[in-house]
Amino acid sequence: MELIVSLIMVPCVAALLMLVVRVDKARDVLCVASAAVIALLSIAFAVQNLGAGSLYFDLPMEYSHFLAVVNIVIDITVGLYIVCYSVKYRRVLPLVLAIGQILTTLWFEYNIQREVQFESQMHVDSLGIIMVLILGIVGTGICVYALGYMKDFQAHHPEQKDRRPWFFALMFAFLSAMYNVVLSDNLCWIYTAWEVTTLCSFLLIGFTKTEEAINNAFRQIVMNMLGGLAFQAAILWLGLQGESRLFSEFLKTAANVAVADPAAAGVFVLPVALLAFAGMTKAAQMPFHTWLLGAMVAPTPTSALLHSSTMVKAGCFLLIKLSPLFLVFPVASAMVVLIGGLTFCLASFMAISQSNAKRVLAYSTIANLGLIVACAGVGTPEAVWAAIFLVIFHAVAKSLLFLCVGTAEHHIGSRDIEDMDGLFERMPRLARFMMLGIMAMFVAPFGMLVSKWATLASFASSGEVLLLVLLAFGSAATFMFWGKWFGKLAGIAAHEQNVELSVHKSEWFALALMAVLTAGACICMPTLSNLFVQPYLVVTYGALGANISVDNMYIMSIIALAVVVMLFGTLDMSKSKKKTVPVYMAGITVDSDERLFRGSLGGEVKATSRNWYMNELFGEKVLDKPATIVTAVIMVVGLVASLAGSQVGAENFVGTSLAMYMPLATMNEGLLQTLLGIVLFAIAGPVVGCLLAGLDRKITARMQGRVGPPLLQPYYDVRKLIEKDDVSVNTVEGTYITFALVLTVIGGGVFVAGGNFLMCVFLITLSALFFIVAAYSSRSPYSEVGADRETLQVMAYEPTVLFVAVCMFLALGTFDVAGVANIGLPMIVVCIPAFLALMFVLTIKLRKSPFDLSYSHHAHQELVKGVTTEMSGRTLAKVEVMHWCETTLFLGWVAMFFIWDNPVSIVLAVAVAALAFFLEIFIDNNFARVKWQKCLKWAWIVALVCGLANTAWLVFALIA
């Protein structure tokens, strides 16, 4: 109990001291010392309580009255503070809401709470420990980062009064309130801390006191006060019904009554929905997402602390705690699931249209919070396992990215992604940290993508068809906006000035801490699961919840370690002896670093290339208003239905919220089998792919009335490339291509070994990323256009591939490829739509006409190869070998649909794969190329129609 009190009080004391300390050095010492104490207390708390299950602590009874007084005093003070600001700035709505909260608090206190003893119980479980560690390590690290950042901020804004004491006081006060939220068990005390976080956020967003800041601060407080009123209404309702105000008792009683006597559970229908509504407003879910977007006007530490690692996580924390109730209160579950899923998908779409890095981070934050909310709404152990890991990885990776953007903005004078072109040389360490954060957010083997893997599996196992659709298309969009930002950072231009030498030590400390936490969490994911996440699920559900086998997590951990080593250990340009040459710019190159060339008329021309932002498809003007209207309607309907359920027969509003529940089976996922599969594919994949490439050329030549080259011509071409001089336009593209090739081989090995199909898909996606980044790194206009188009192609085919995985699971009961050999009929019998969709996108995967937008080995299709324009010699040879391996693997995906538990099926599968290959060559030679818009539109229409139809039919068949 002493540690809990210390965790709450130390930040309070630090906040008070920060108000009176005006000297920079003294503030630095106080901030670092306070952060160190809080971090050590958090770690000690975790060590002391880890593995102890669910623990309850009570303060002595004699403190009960005092705590009740303190609670109501803080409530009223927060309300009066908002009233004063509302009057000062003439804002009517927040004034009305604040007065309403004050009056409700007073009425509740003197009419209901007065007769009940204030319960000072604290509750500790594994989820609370996770949150304590996030607050104590990530939160305090951001406070330390703010020391250097705010010095630069004040220097850049000399016209503003130095209000840094107020800023740091609010930061530490916020930490104290958050400790209360995650450790208190009394709903009244949680509500008080909840509103303190709202007030702190309001003051920090409006810190600069500009008109824009004030407007956004009031937007935040209005939206979060609506959630606060819902929280308050839930407590009031429980009080009027004579129910306990202990959160743990509420969760247990509501779940037990809903199962044992649904007709008597009406008393809990409304408070569950109201608390869910409060959690979604705090988590910035649509239609309340605009408060988080507006919060980006605040200094960067505010964004990092409040909107990536703490405040929004309070909403996620509440919803995850409510997850078991969502299993038996279907109206609240449907509201949360739909809002979370739509928020994830639509926010991901809108992120594509942003060039402002902080708005990209904001939309990405909203999207990932949506995924957490959707998982919480599903409520199964598997979904909650994914939700908790999403919380962990989002907290560390997004904090790292916010801090990186803040430091970059102060040193390059912009937060625009386009201005980060070549940051790898201007700020090499910072660029690496930023690249690590971006990879951690969207690609395997890093934690966010692995958590999305678990999310996909949990949605499939519970028959959440709509969520599967939203997840498939939202995930495709994330690759687009993260991939193009990553590519901008990777650009290499010689002789750039290093501008990171003036970064403050406090900033470097925090950045390094976040980078270590991000990498460490990804590498140690199996340990985190065993020590923190699984114990919470066992206590809460009495069951384990991982959708990913331990062997697969270890494989991902090893690959994550290799990628981190590559990023920080091998991409050192100063040690490379590789010969570099200028980039090709369709003329006489004058200065490749500045992209200047002499054109056909003799004048100097500067080549420019900007990423695609697709405003006409994914812009805020196109999507924001419809998204707001639809989600608002869902929320209103959910709350009204819950109110109705509390007044009429509750049995119609209580019961299972799951369409189905299908356990996940695992088969060939051992490390040894995977290793053998990798070795086999490393040998056979290139050989088969080379022969197929030669056959492709001969068939193509015959179709065009030519004889064609020898069958082994691709081998001879690659051998010639290897014998060429090893030159490049930079020193890193070869490393990126090597990793792309290795990851393709590993993905193929997983498939050949009968391992997890999702792992195979995600490894191929990571390979595609490194291929794209290799092109971006050259800073060549042609290569950048090719890289943009390659990114678009991944975005186009990704939903279909995910639908194939889902249909495979629903048909086989497993994501393991080995499962196809254990069924009596081939998978094609029940997965015809998914197969047709795969055949459609196979044209994109094999880079054939009409969709060869970025790279093709046929001269009749593209004279300048775009993505590989600047590649030659061994690097280009690796690309060709990778293409061979991809062709072998993708045809293996086709063959997979025709194998069952009869060895003869292998012959049929090979024959179908050969027919598919011939069909692709035929299409390639008989269809003209199309624009990228049609590539994206057709691929997504096919994925939506075929994927949705097949998934829905399989779910219906399983339910029936």
Side-chain angles (χ1 to χ4, degrees), residues 386-543:
I388 295 174
F389 267 112
L390 286 168
V391 167
I392 295 171
F393 291 117
H394 183 264
V396 292
K398 195 56 70 68
S399 295
L400 173 61
L401 286 171
F402 270 118
L403 301 188
C404 285
V405 169
T407 298
E409 181 183 5
H410 275 176
H411 288 79
I412 67 174
S414 173
R415 61 175 65 162
D416 195 286
I417 292 173
E418 294 297 332
D419 294 327
M420 295 180 187
D421 190 15
L423 194 69
F424 196 87
E425 283 201 346
R426 288 184 287 169
M427 304 186 76
R429 280 187 292 174
L430 185 74
R432 284 177 169 85
F433 285 145
M434 199 179 293
M435 291 165 76
L436 173 63
I438 290 174
M439 282 195 291
M441 287 302 300
F442 84 113
V443 291
F446 293 97
M448 284 298 290
L449 196 283
V450 177
S451 300
K452 288 180 182 178
W453 170 357
T455 301
L456 181 73
S458 68
F459 291 170
S461 65
S462 54
E464 299 285 352
V465 177
L466 180 58
L467 282 182
L468 288 168
V469 173
L470 296 173
L471 179 61
F473 288 97
S475 295
T478 61
F479 188 92
M480 184 69 187
F481 67 78
W482 285 126
K484 64 184 182 180
W485 186 358
F486 192 96
K488 278 292 178 184
L489 295 174
I492 304 296
H495 313 304
E496 287 281 6
Q497 181 182 3
N498 190 323
V499 296
E500 71 179 10
L501 301 178
S502 58
V503 176
H504 294 279
K505 290 182 179 180
S506 61
E507 294 181 60
W508 279 131
F509 169 80
L511 289 168
L513 173 64
M514 300 306 165
V516 170
L517 289 174
T518 300
C522 296
I523 294 169
C524 300
M525 190 174 183
T527 303
L528 291 176
S529 178
N530 292 332
L531 290 181
F532 295 95
V533 183
Q534 294 287 23
Y536 175 76
L537 298 175
V538 170
V539 169
T540 305
Y541 293 94

Side-chain angles (χ1 to χ4, degrees), residues 249-262:
E249 288 299 317
F250 164 73
L251 295 174
K252 291 177 184 177
T253 305
N256 292 336
V257 172
V259 173
D261 187 8

Side-chain angles (χ1 to χ4, degrees), residues 164-413:
R164 284 179 290 166
W166 182 241
F167 180 87
F168 282 97
L170 288 171
M171 297 278 280
F172 281 100
F174 196 96
L175 289 178
S176 177
M178 280 298 301
Y179 279 122
N180 268 291
V181 169
V182 302
L183 295 176
S184 296
D185 198 28
N186 188 315
L187 281 169
C188 297
W189 196 247
I190 295 174
Y191 164 75
T192 299
W194 187 273
E195 291 303 285
V196 171
T197 64
T198 298
L199 177 61
C200 289
S201 182
F202 167 75
L203 296 171
L204 284 166
I205 294 169
F207 177 75
T208 59
K209 294 194 173 182
T210 62
E211 183 179 357
E212 182 184 19
I214 294 298
N215 289 337
N216 286 316
F218 274 107
R219 179 187 290 114
Q220 180 275 144
I221 206 160
V222 166
M223 291 183 173
N224 277 283
M225 285 179 71
L226 289 173
L229 282 169
F231 203 130
Q232 199 175 34
I235 297 173
L236 180 62
W237 178 273
L238 292 172
L240 290 172
Q241 302 298 324
E243 297 292 336
S244 171
R245 260 75 83 200
L246 289 179
F247 193 25
S248 57
E249 288 299 317
F250 164 73
L251 295 174
K252 291 177 184 177
T253 305
N256 292 336
V257 172
V259 173
D261 187 8
V267 65
F268 299 108
V269 172
L270 183 59
V272 170
L274 289 171
L275 290 173
F277 176 84
M280 287 189 288
T281 57
K282 187 73 79 174
Q285 296 299 280
M286 292 179 177
F288 302 109
H289 62 292
T290 53
W291 78 255
L292 192 144
L293 293 171
M296 294 301 123
V297 303
T300 293
T302 299
S303 302
L305 182 69
L306 275 63
H307 309 132
S308 68
S309 60
T310 52
M311 179 170 172
V312 293
K313 295 302 188 297
C316 296
F317 173 80
L318 177 63
L319 290 166
I320 292 173
K321 296 289 284 187
L322 290 169
S323 287
L325 299 186
F326 293 139
L327 284 174
V328 290
F329 290 93
V331 173
S333 173
M335 179 177 70
V336 174
V337 163
L338 289 173
I339 295 295
L342 287 169
T343 299
F344 169 71
C345 187
L346 295 173
S348 296
F349 287 168
M350 285 187 275
I352 294 174
S353 66
Q354 306 300 313
S355 63
N356 183 311
K358 287 191 75 172
R359 287 187 74 82
V360 174
L361 293 178
Y363 272 116
S364 169
T365 295
I366 295 167
N368 283 291
L369 293 173
L371 198 56
I372 297 169
V373 168
C375 288
V378 172
T380 62
E382 293 81 5
V384 173
W385 188 92
I388 295 174
F389 267 112
L390 286 168
V391 167
I392 295 171
F393 291 117
H394 183 264
V396 292
K398 195 56 70 68
S399 295
L400 173 61
L401 286 171
F402 270 118
L403 301 188
C404 285
V405 169
T407 298
E409 181 183 5
H410 275 176
H411 288 79
I412 67 174

